[in-house]
Amino acid sequence: MISMVMVAVGVYARLLKHAEAAMGCLAGEPALLLVMVGVLTFLITFCGCVGSLRENICLLQMFSVCLTVVFLLQVAAGVLGFVFSDKARGKVSEIINGAIVHYRDDLDLQNLIDFGQKEFSCCGGVSYKDWSQNMYFNCTASNPSRERCSVPFSCCLHDADQAVINTMCGHGMQARGYLEASAFIHTNGCIDKLVNWTHSNLFLLGGIALGLALPQLVGIVLAQLLINQIRDQIKLQLYNQQHRADPWY
């Protein structure tokens, strides 16, 4: 049921978007990613549910194998991310820079970046000047955009008493130095903020990972136990049939 809700939300969000706003990059399409995760989750849980109700060994084996693969992929991703932290940081930087380039191309991506910059009090990847990679915020003299040398409003320092958000607060900030710009916007990049947040919340992340892993392990164990019970029942039925056919029984 949860997977079907995920698919429905993803499809609904995708249909609301304009065709010209579509991007080829999956990272820039949260709706498509949600649909894919929902479909995959539905197929796996469908195999487990129907397989257990119908006592179908094939479906149960498929359910168990899929859960095992997903679990191993999660473990491998965690280990590789920890061992190759520098490469993981480079990949995160690549994703963030790609998102900056396509900031105005996708409304979902734009809202996601704005949310991240406001929550982590950061701006850009390494610094606020990374926004020059975007064609609208590019700081070259040949850029005709009104937002030239600007940064998104989510980079700005907001006053708690401010009732109306000034969306032009980041205008021309890239042309200013770090010290001068720091009086109006967050000058630190989001990569360092994200890394620092990860290090300071390792126990929380570990608890979330454990909470996701335990149900998968329980599902794998229960599926294997049910498969063994079904096989024992089949063997017992075959044994009884053979002895009933025996005239000396």
Side-chain angles (χ1 to χ4, degrees):
M1 291 175 63
I2 294 174
S3 62
M4 291 302 296
V5 170
M6 292 173 62
V7 173
V9 172
V11 171
Y12 178 73
R14 189 67 184 89
L15 292 177
L16 286 180
K17 299 177 67 174
H18 298 290
E20 62 271 13
M23 292 170 52
C25 178
L26 184 61
E29 282 287 0
L32 288 181
L33 185 61
L34 192 64
V35 170
M36 292 181 64
V37 172
V39 169
L40 179 62
T41 305
F42 175 79
L43 292 177
I44 294 175
T45 53
F46 179 82
C47 291
C49 183
V50 176
S52 60
L53 288 175
R54 304 296 299 175
E55 296 187 348
N56 189 301
I57 293 179
C58 181
L59 290 177
L60 287 173
Q61 284 282 27
M62 187 178 300
F63 171 76
S64 180
V65 169
C66 289
L67 269 188
T68 304
V69 170
V70 172
F71 176 76
L72 293 177
L73 287 176
Q74 291 174 349
V75 173
V79 172
L80 292 176
F82 181 78
V83 175
F84 301 101
S85 57
D86 292 338
K87 291 186 177 180
R89 179 189 175 96
K91 186 62 178 178
V92 171
S93 177
E94 181 182 340
I95 293 175
I96 292 178
N97 288 332
I100 289 175
V101 172
H102 297 286
Y103 176 76
R104 289 298 191 201
D105 300 338
D106 190 289
L107 185 59
D108 293 336
L109 181 62
Q110 180 176 323
N111 292 333
L112 182 62
I113 293 175
D114 288 335
F115 174 79
Q117 291 190 147
K118 286 187 289 187
E119 287 296 315
F120 289 100
S121 300
C122 59
C123 187
V126 178
S127 73
Y128 67 102
K129 291 185 179 292
D130 288 341
W131 280 102
S132 192
Q133 300 177 54
N134 186 279
M135 61 182 296
Y136 298 98
F137 300 112
N138 188 275
C139 210
T140 57
S142 58
N143 184 12
S145 174
R146 292 183 178 180
E147 296 179 304
R148 186 176 72 87
C149 284
S150 300
V151 295
F153 74 95
S154 54
C155 291
C156 298
L157 301 172
H158 294 295
D159 188 357
D161 298 330
Q162 186 178 7
V164 180
I165 298 176
N166 179 16
T167 57
M168 297 298 293
C169 57
H171 183 74
M173 289 298 163
Q174 290 187 60
R176 303 189 182 192
Y178 281 85
L179 186 59
E180 185 182 2
S182 62
F184 303 95
I185 63 171
H186 299 290
T187 54
N188 294 325
C190 294
I191 297 176
D192 291 333
K193 290 278 189 175
L194 184 60
V195 170
N196 293 336
W197 182 87
T198 302
H199 289 164
S200 60
N201 292 274
L202 286 178
F203 289 106
L204 175 62
L205 296 175
I208 294 175
L210 186 63
L212 293 175
L214 281 179
Q216 294 175 7
L217 289 174
V218 171
I220 294 170
V221 172
L222 291 179
Q224 290 300 321
L225 289 175
L226 183 56
I227 289 172
N228 292 332
Q229 290 180 0
I230 295 172
R231 285 174 175 170
D232 291 340
Q233 291 177 359
I234 293 174
K235 290 180 181 179
L236 181 61
Q237 289 177 356
L238 292 175
Y239 178 82
N240 292 333
Q241 289 176 0
Q242 289 174 356
H243 282 75
R244 288 195 185 97
D246 190 353
W248 297 101
Y249 178 70

